[in-house]
Amino acid sequence: MKPAIVILGYNRPQCLKRLIQNLIQAEYDVPNIDLIISLDKGAHKECVQFAQAFHWPYGNKEVVVQQKRLYTYGQVHYAASLAEKYGAVIALEDDLGVSPQFYKYAQQVLSFYSISNNIAGISLYSYQLTENNYQSFDPLEDDYDTYLMQFPASWGQAFTYEQWLAFLKWKNHTQFDQNNLPEFVREWSGKSWKREFLEYMIAENKYFAYPRAAYSTNFGDNGANYAISMSLFQVPLAHNSPKTFRFAKSLEAVTYDAWFEPTPATVHKYLPDLSEPIAIVDTLGTKDLTFYNDDLALSIRTSLHPVRQFVFQGKQLVLAKAHTFNNLRVRRRVEDANYDLMGSAKKMPYVFYKLWFVISNYLLVLKKRLQRLSY
């Protein structure tokens, strides 16, 4: 499989130049790689001039200046639609960077998962922080180079034509209950392609395949999505990747849900002493357990009537029926925000609580990066 590379840009010429330089310096094992640069209507003049002028040494280059304003939603849809022509595409917004081995990884992972009906797309990005509450995210380890998560990637994603077509068919014929979305996603704009795609993934029980090592990173430059530059989700890029990767089949893979929580099946695999059939995993304390009533839940919160306790991923967790837990959780609204992850009341305004949370986790990620550099 030889996916086309599609760059999405608008008004950040320096970001576009950085990404193009990344792509030119990357490694390609096949000839004639198509590069499409889609610039939204009203694009910065320097973006248009640079995109048209530079030489792409690996194949054909096409610059498309859109005739109407598409915004991020339309740009991503345009990029993915090109999979019909090319078989598969890699979509990169201009504030991203890529690993030198990104294309080799994309080729192999797209080919492997192209026959998996429950895979909705491919991520080049690998999370180190959760998006719902900015906690450190370390996927459970196994012998494979991928894990699955019911959460779409937006910082370097790839689709086969069949994967994108399946989404379009669902989109045109299905209504979705918004209560099935995580609370933090319900606060996103209704014009978010990522929100809409997550609705599809939850409704159809599909997943994105994520790499354990990152083949793309998010520089977080200011633009349409960020009012200021924010490198919180910038991650180290993979180098010296193997010639061939080990991809996990769906039934073998470590699997996470839309809340960045391991699925019950994955927990049972890593906690063999857990004989009770759990229905909910809440290790981050962000799920509203009041929806689950008598279902057994494994949660970080305290319970009135715990069944058992476990240490999992370094956390002391309680197994109990969902309705017995203290269900106060981290709220996203100012008036409901004075609670910590354990459900304890806190006399701290939400804006300061969230700021403290972001800073502390940012420092944690920085520490990890420094540790890697010291090896």
Side-chain angles (χ1 to χ4, degrees):
M1 187 169 291
K2 192 164 64 173
I5 303 169
V6 187
I7 297 176
L8 309 178
Y10 177 51
N11 63 352
R12 297 182 290 196
Q14 296 307 315
C15 296
L16 180 62
K17 292 176 183 179
R18 180 183 61 203
L19 177 56
I20 294 294
Q21 189 65 24
N22 256 199
L23 294 175
I24 290 175
Q25 293 174 345
E27 302 167 6
Y28 303 94
D29 297 330
V30 293
N32 301 321
I33 298 167
D34 292 292
L35 175 68
I36 300 94
I37 303 174
S38 174
L39 300 174
D40 211 352
K41 182 180 180 181
H44 195 291
K45 182 178 179 181
E46 191 175 347
C47 288
V48 178
Q49 292 174 340
F50 175 76
Q52 293 174 339
F54 85 91
H55 173 61
W56 174 244
Y58 302 107
N60 296 321
K61 181 190 78 173
E62 180 182 2
V63 179
V64 178
V65 180
Q66 301 295 342
Q67 296 304 301
K68 67 176 183 178
R69 190 82 159 90
L70 298 182
Y71 300 94
T72 302
Y73 179 96
Q75 282 272 65
V76 172
H77 276 250
Y78 171 76
S81 72
L82 294 175
E84 182 176 9
K85 177 180 179 180
Y86 296 102
V89 293
I90 301 167
L92 301 170
E93 294 186 48
D94 59 6
D95 61 344
L96 304 181
V98 294
S99 157
Q101 289 88 39
F102 89 98
Y103 196 82
K104 176 177 70 172
Y105 174 79
Q107 279 187 288
Q108 292 188 33
V109 72
L110 280 164
S111 296
F112 183 87
Y113 287 112
S114 63
I115 58 174
S116 299
N117 291 330
N118 70 328
I119 300 300
I122 303 298
S123 176
L124 301 181
Y125 182 82
S126 186
Y127 281 98
Q128 289 190 352
L129 290 179
T130 65
E131 278 200 55
N132 53 353
N133 59 2
Y134 310 107
Q135 289 202 52
S136 179
F137 182 71
D138 295 303
L140 291 161
E141 295 182 0
D142 60 13
D143 295 328
Y144 297 103
D145 295 312
T146 50
Y147 64 93
L148 306 184
M149 185 154 60
Q150 198 165 67
F151 199 76
S154 58
W155 300 325
Q157 65 269 22
F159 302 98
T160 65
Y161 173 59
E162 292 75 17
Q163 288 167 348
W164 186 250
L165 182 62
F167 162 66
L168 292 180
K169 289 180 178 178
W170 175 89
K171 176 180 180 291
N172 293 330
H173 297 94
T174 308
Q175 295 293 322
F176 182 78
D177 183 358
Q178 299 297 311
N179 290 322
N180 291 325
L181 287 174
E183 185 179 9
F184 75 102
V185 176
R186 293 200 299 269
E187 296 181 355
W188 293 355
S189 166
K191 298 179 181 179
S192 165
W193 83 266
K194 193 171 178 178
R195 171 177 176 153
E196 184 179 53
F197 205 89
L198 179 57
E199 294 173 3
Y200 158 66
M201 292 173 67
I202 292 174
E204 298 295 308
N205 196 29
K206 291 180 181 283
Y207 294 83
F208 253 65
Y210 279 82
R212 294 188 175 276
Y215 292 90
S216 66
T217 188
N218 176 11
F219 288 111
D221 300 282
N222 62 304
N225 295 322
Y226 298 109
I228 59 173
S229 295
M230 186 179 72
S231 59
L232 186 63
F233 290 103
Q234 186 175 342
V235 294
L237 291 170
H239 288 78
N240 302 318
S241 300
K243 291 184 178 180
T244 57
F245 297 90
R246 294 195 64 193
F247 300 124
K249 295 179 180 179
S250 297
L251 294 177
E252 301 169 337
V254 169
T255 307
Y256 285 79
D257 64 20
W259 288 258
F260 289 78
E261 297 279 9
T263 61
T266 292
V267 170
H268 277 289
K269 182 196 258 184
Y270 283 80
L271 280 180
D273 293 335
L274 179 57
S275 57
E276 296 85 352
I278 59 173
I280 312 105
V281 182
D282 184 43
T283 67
L284 301 176
T286 60
K287 291 183 178 179
D288 187 350
L289 301 182
T290 58
F291 288 112
Y292 299 98
N293 297 318
D294 288 332
D295 290 326
L296 279 176
L298 191 66
S299 178
I300 197 171
R301 300 172 192 160
T302 56
S303 171
L304 298 175
H305 304 289
V307 176
R308 298 173 67 186
Q309 290 188 334
F310 295 90
V311 175
F312 181 66
Q313 289 185 294
K315 298 173 184 176
Q316 188 73 34
L317 302 179
V318 175
L319 176 69
K321 289 189 176 182
H323 73 269
T324 69
F325 281 99
N326 183 344
N327 283 302
L328 298 177
R329 64 196 190 285
V330 177
R331 306 282 182 163
R332 307 293 290 187
R333 299 177 179 83
V334 174
E335 65 270 16
D336 293 326
N338 295 323
Y339 300 95
D340 67 10
L341 286 175
M342 298 298 291
S344 304
K346 296 178 70 70
K347 301 299 183 182
M348 184 187 296
Y350 177 63
V351 64
F352 295 114
Y353 175 80
K354 185 173 181 180
L355 181 62
W356 167 82
F357 214 78
V358 171
I359 292 174
S360 62
N361 281 282
Y362 184 84
L363 292 175
L364 179 63
V365 172
L366 180 61
K367 179 181 178 182
K368 287 184 178 181
R369 291 178 186 169
L370 293 174
Q371 287 173 339
R372 288 191 180 96
L373 290 174
S374 66
Y375 292 148

